[in-house]
Amino acid sequence: MDNSTRIALLPGDGVGPEVMDEVRPCLAWAEARGRRLVLLDLPHGADHCLATGETLSEAVFLELRDRCDAILFGAVGDPRLPDGRHAEQILLRLRQDLELTVNFRPCRPVVVGSDPTIDIEVFRENTEGPYCLQGTTEPGRAVDFAIHTEPAVRRLLEAAFQRAAARGHSLTLAHKANVLKHGHGLWMRVFGDLLALYPQVVAKALHADALLCALVQDPRAFGLIAADNYLGDLISDLTAAYNGGMGVAPSLSWAPHHPFRCNALAEPVHGSAPDIAGQGLANPVGMFLSTALLFRHLAWEAEALALEDAVAGALKAGAATRDLGGQLSTKAMGEAVRARLS
Ligand code: GGG
């Protein structure tokens, strides 16, 4: 039986293909080190949708779900498709239908000038909340529903408690249960259940607005932060600012209950950035660090560490794209990182 790891590459839109091109050689590098890999390159995104009318067919979705182990994703979003439906039907569908509840967004600063003592990990629920894609627009009235289900909330919080226990870190739940009584009331109840099961974890719940103020004032006071889809999205963009901004931030999504063969999607936190696409201005670091998270998920710890060290080494030596105050192109930044991979 073929025991290769099958990874689907979905570069997507805007700067997605540019940053994806920089990590492709890292997959070849992992193979050269003895990892058995089969790659599946997929064109899905705005160009493909405009050319064929297809976003993500059922056949492709099933191929991903049942015959791949993981997805490496670039970015999605294109001004030619302003209603964002293709983004919903590709990225949000993958997160939801693969049940990738946990979106892990670490912030461990390595950019020159950032504070290396910050060590925050955001656990964002990835499939529900107001991003459930259900709502209506009527004349003079618009409604977005937010759905929170106990299995997803419990899965996300259990993963966060387990990680906090393993790392000896504090855990803070971001919520607005004072106004979102139903949905965030459920989060508070499940959080309370788990508090009793993990007495070793120093955990508290904070109103998200107060949490954001405290996070700006003293980021070192935070360890893990757990949040629903919406709050987690916002909080993790703020934490990205502690390490050079959106171009550097990585993420990995997975399903702790392992419902399907495909159980991981790695993608940089940044979107498609159409304003700078195709100009060699994108920072590939978020994509490199997301690839490292995927390597770790596959239990390729040596490769994950080597890639993270290569990124840290390149940044420390002064390699920087424009968003970090440097002059390097996407490609030159990629080369600076890869040159440190042994
Ligand atoms: N690589 C992340 C990305 O492409 N984001 C675009 C997007 O539509 N994001 C929605 C979300 O992250 O919830």
Side-chain angles (χ1 to χ4, degrees), residues 11 13 73-77 84 87-88 91-92 95 103 105 124 126 131 229 233 237 251 265-273 287:
D13 302 333
F73 196 91
V76 70
E88 290 176 9
L91 181 58
L92 272 66
R95 291 173 182 167
N103 181 228
R105 295 182 162 193
R124 167 189 173 188
N126 208 27
Y131 296 17
N229 207 340
D233 193 1
D237 278 23
S251 84
L265 187 151
E267 59 175 324
V269 169
H270 66 72
S272 59
M287 189 80 223

